Each structure stands twice: as C-alpha cells, then as structure tokens.
Amino acid sequence: TAPSIRLSPATRSLFDEPLAIAVQGLGPRQQVTLRASLQDETGELFQACARYQARDDGELDLARCPALPGGSFSGLEPMGLLWALQPQKPLWYMVKRDVQSPFVLQLEVFEGHGEPPGRLLAQAQHERVFLRDGMRRVPVREGRIRATLFLPPGEGPFPGIIDIHGLGGGLLEHRASLLANHGFATLALAYYQYEDLPQEPTELHLEYFEEAVNYMVQHSQVKGPGVGLLGYSKGADLSLTMAAFLKNITAVASLNGPVANTIIPLCYKDKTIPPLPYDEEKVKVIDSNILDSSEASINPFQAPGNQSLIPLEKAEAQLLFIVGQDDHVMKSEYYATEVCKLLQAQGKENFQILSYPGTGHCIDPPFFPLYSIGKHPVLHKRAVLGGELRAYSKAQVHAWPQIQAFFNKYL
C-alpha cells in the first residue's frame, strides 16, 4: 500500500490539544523526513522538519519512534513538529487575530534524509481551531469597555476570568478563547490602541478595569462572587494592582509580570501610582543592534518608600506567579520571589510560584512557536525576550493545565 499519514483527532483539534501523528505503509526501516507547515494570517510561513526511520513493519508512530539528529529537533517528541515550528521570516511572531477561523496545518512525508528532501510520499491537512463546537463569542461594548466575552456551551454559570495582555495594544483573543474551551467565561479585554480607546495613553485609569470586573460579576453567565484575572507582562502588573485596590477579585495568575507599576502612570480616584523608573543606560546592545534590557528596571525593593511597588499585602486574592527563568525583559523570577517573601513576612500564605528554566518573557498557551527575540515594548527596537526551544515548549505544556487547575480551585 502507498504510505499515508494517520492523525488523531483525524481532521480538526483545538490548538492547545495534542495531536497524534503516525505514518503507515512505509518500507521496513525506511528513512523519511517529516515536515509540518503552517501559514499565519499575514501569510507568513512557519515550518519544522524531523528525520525518522520506520520500524521493521513499516510503521512510524511519533509517540514511539524518536526523531534522529539533523532536523528541527531530535529524540522522542510526539508533538515536536508543532512546538518546533519557526517562522521563515526572521523574528516573526505568530498572532491569531480571528479566532473563528482555524490555522491549517500541512504535513508531508519525504523519502530519505536529504537536503533538499527527496520524493513526496504522503501528505495530509489538519485544522487547528480556537473554539470548540458550541462556544459563543460575544463582542462587548458596554460603557467604556471594549472586549470580547467567550462563553462555553451549556447553561452556566461558569467561573469568570478577565484576560489582560501586555503592551502592544489592540484586542487579542487567542488565549481567552482557548481558556474558555476549558469551561471558563473569559473576557479578553483591550485597554488601548483599539477602536475608540486611546492610541498612546499618557496614563491608565484603574476605573476602566473596575468597570470590566463589575461587568463580569453582574453577568448572568458568570458564577460569582468574584472573578479571576490572567495577566501577561504589563497585563500582569495591572492584574496585581487590581487585586490590591479593587473588590471581587478572587484569584490572579501573573505571567512574567512585574510587581510594580511599569511604563505608564496608573490613576485611581485621587491617587496616581508612578511607573517604576527605567535606566536606559543599563540596556545592553548585543550582536547586530539587538538589545538586552533585563537590568534596566530600577529594583523596586531597594528603593525605600518606592511608590511604584504594588501594595500586594492588601490583596485578598490567591496569587499564582508563573515566571520564566530566562526572561530578558524583566527579572520576573526575582520579582515574584521577593514579593512572596514580603507577603510571608506579613503572615500571608495566598501565593505560589511556578518557575520554568529555559523559558523567556513570552509564555503562550501550548504549541505556539518560541518567540525569543522580538520588539521591545518600551524601546521599540529588537530585543532579547529569552527562552530555549525545547524547555519553552515543555513549560507551555506544563503551565497551561496548572493555570486552569488554579482557577478551578479558587473560582
């Protein structure tokens, strides 16, 4: 029989779900190269390839056969063809703006281990979707709020989470939509550079985020009494500040967040929290004008009476700090460790830290490609974000169910 690719699930799967890949109908111990390709919404191509040898019976199951050296990865990595996808255009980040359409994954099997690959033996297509059947996507334009609410199928009510991204602006829905598939009412919240929100804010107002909390708490499909917050980078310091100053916040997961207000002054009622000072002289330039800014933020713990430090001792929420040990944008592991020491000294026990080696600033849901060099949110130049391919992929796969378990426990 001619070689063919066998996938499970066969035709479509959620983007954050594993995909079982096997090839049947090969010759005994036949050497082949497998290639995965995916085009993002802008048409940019991401690819990964791996070299394999079939078993004596001509079967090749990626869950049982290790990849041989010479491809994008080696060893027993059943999902390697997905987590090792890298852009053909250097320093490109995979974004999913329209979560209602799938990414289409192309899989090809070529003869031999040559460069370029040999004859095409088999190919298959598979859809990677962001919304499972029955999910509801509801645009939200209530008062000042600009957001999208994702509701799981069924009657509800569901535990409610607000998802807040870092600097970069706009409305990003990929993480919120994937999280909602796991049984959460999830609000993807924009806070600048979107529709009629400010383009380049000179200050942010905590009242805007309070409005979003109130919207969720009062929603008939959201199970109270409080909500959870999932914040990444700048979105994490906003989430932690919300937990310190606002009511009805039960649990906060911070992804590589500072524990001080950063970049933009934050106002609430008659109080202004200044941003943490930033020392541009401590930004290092490494090869070909790529920056490393990991030392540039002033240490909020060493400046006595620092007004930027978030008063987390006021927070009643449970706190989960998820940090990459190779974060080059900020010292997120150090920040999380120090703030937890302060909380502990005050007799608090409402915190936990998950710390991942070889993981940089970007922590996305599983199977998003590594983004280790990107545009710096403040300096607007290319900068090291950090992270190493295999370690990062393992961190994503481990952290994602931990986030869900955390919210399930406390919401």
Side-chain angles (χ1 to χ4, degrees), residues 116-156:
R119 185 167 61 96
L120 178 67
L121 301 175
Q123 57 184 330
Q125 272 196 356
H126 186 85
E127 290 187 345
R128 298 285 278 170
V129 301
F130 284 76
L131 296 172
R132 68 165 85 241
D133 291 345
M135 287 289 304
R136 288 162 288 167
R137 177 186 174 276
V138 185
V140 178
R141 305 287 176 273
E142 295 265 333
R144 287 177 297 181
I145 307 167
R146 301 294 173 262
T148 303
L149 179 63
F150 292 95
L151 293 169
E155 287 294 295

Side-chain angles (χ1 to χ4, degrees), residues 88-215:
Q88 300 303 286
K89 181 179 182 173
L91 315 182
W92 191 255
Y93 180 54
M94 182 189 283
V95 176
K96 189 71 175 118
R97 296 269 175 207
D98 175 14
V99 296
Q100 296 179 97
S101 67
F103 274 139
V104 179
L105 183 70
Q106 303 272 2
L107 291 162
E108 297 164 299
V109 183
F110 298 98
E111 202 166 44
H113 291 164
E115 289 276 350
R119 185 167 61 96
L120 178 67
L121 301 175
Q123 57 184 330
Q125 272 196 356
H126 186 85
E127 290 187 345
R128 298 285 278 170
V129 301
F130 284 76
L131 296 172
R132 68 165 85 241
D133 291 345
M135 287 289 304
R136 288 162 288 167
R137 177 186 174 276
V138 185
V140 178
R141 305 287 176 273
E142 295 265 333
R144 287 177 297 181
I145 307 167
R146 301 294 173 262
T148 303
L149 179 63
F150 292 95
L151 293 169
E155 287 294 295
F158 307 98
I161 296 169
I162 301 174
D163 181 28
I164 308 176
H165 277 267
L167 290 176
L171 179 59
L172 293 173
E173 299 181 358
H174 64 276
R175 192 170 58 210
S177 62
L178 290 173
L179 195 54
N181 291 313
H182 297 279
F184 301 99
T186 312
L187 187 78
L189 182 67
Y191 56 99
Y192 78 106
Q193 252 176 46
Y194 183 72
E195 292 186 355
D196 55 353
L197 294 174
Q199 282 301 303
E200 295 292 335
T202 52
E203 56 187 31
L204 292 172
H205 292 267
L206 206 55
E207 284 85 351
Y208 174 79
F209 299 91
E210 187 169 35
E211 212 173 306
V213 173
N214 293 338
Y215 169 81

Side-chain angles (χ1 to χ4, degrees), residues 83-353:
W83 62 246
L85 285 167
Q86 283 292 285
Q88 300 303 286
K89 181 179 182 173
L91 315 182
W92 191 255
Y93 180 54
M94 182 189 283
V95 176
K96 189 71 175 118
R97 296 269 175 207
D98 175 14
V99 296
Q100 296 179 97
S101 67
F103 274 139
V104 179
L105 183 70
Q106 303 272 2
L107 291 162
E108 297 164 299
V109 183
F110 298 98
E111 202 166 44
H113 291 164
E115 289 276 350
R119 185 167 61 96
L120 178 67
L121 301 175
Q123 57 184 330
Q125 272 196 356
H126 186 85
E127 290 187 345
R128 298 285 278 170
V129 301
F130 284 76
L131 296 172
R132 68 165 85 241
D133 291 345
M135 287 289 304
R136 288 162 288 167
R137 177 186 174 276
V138 185
V140 178
R141 305 287 176 273
E142 295 265 333
R144 287 177 297 181
I145 307 167
R146 301 294 173 262
T148 303
L149 179 63
F150 292 95
L151 293 169
E155 287 294 295
F158 307 98
I161 296 169
I162 301 174
D163 181 28
I164 308 176
H165 277 267
L167 290 176
L171 179 59
L172 293 173
E173 299 181 358
H174 64 276
R175 192 170 58 210
S177 62
L178 290 173
L179 195 54
N181 291 313
H182 297 279
F184 301 99
T186 312
L187 187 78
L189 182 67
Y191 56 99
Y192 78 106
Q193 252 176 46
Y194 183 72
E195 292 186 355
D196 55 353
L197 294 174
Q199 282 301 303
E200 295 292 335
T202 52
E203 56 187 31
L204 292 172
H205 292 267
L206 206 55
E207 284 85 351
Y208 174 79
F209 299 91
E210 187 169 35
E211 212 173 306
V213 173
N214 293 338
Y215 169 81
M216 288 293 276
V217 168
Q218 289 158 16
H219 198 288
S220 63
Q221 294 285 289
V222 175
K223 175 184 163 191
V227 295
L229 306 176
L230 174 58
Y232 160 65
S233 193
K234 175 65 192 170
D237 78 53
L238 286 166
S239 298
L240 293 168
T241 309
M242 290 163 75
F245 288 99
L246 305 181
K247 291 198 244 332
N248 297 322
I249 292 162
T250 309
V252 178
S254 157
L255 294 166
N256 278 335
V259 292
N261 184 48
T262 56
I263 323 289
I264 305 169
L266 183 63
C267 310
Y268 186 53
K269 295 180 177 164
D270 53 0
K271 182 179 171 64
T272 298
I273 305 169
L276 192 64
Y278 199 80
D279 186 352
E280 290 203 16
E281 288 183 4
K282 289 195 174 165
V283 175
K284 291 190 270 228
V285 179
I286 52 179
D287 57 7
S288 69
N289 290 334
I290 293 173
L291 308 177
D292 184 335
S293 66
S294 49
E295 303 289 332
S297 288
I298 307 294
N299 187 331
F301 300 101
Q302 287 175 353
N306 187 311
Q307 295 301 300
S308 307
L309 195 64
I310 298 164
L312 271 178
E313 67 281 356
K314 293 183 181 175
E316 290 177 11
Q318 292 291 325
L319 307 173
L320 172 63
F321 296 94
I322 295 175
V323 296
Q325 292 175 16
D326 193 36
D327 185 348
H328 282 256
V329 174
M330 64 185 73
K331 296 182 166 180
S332 39
E333 185 184 36
Y334 169 77
Y335 285 159
T337 308
E338 289 301 305
V339 85
C340 291
K341 280 185 200 162
L342 287 180
L343 291 172
Q344 201 164 16
Q346 298 187 8
K348 294 258 191 176
E349 292 176 355
N350 60 330
F351 56 84
Q352 51 185 305
I353 300 176

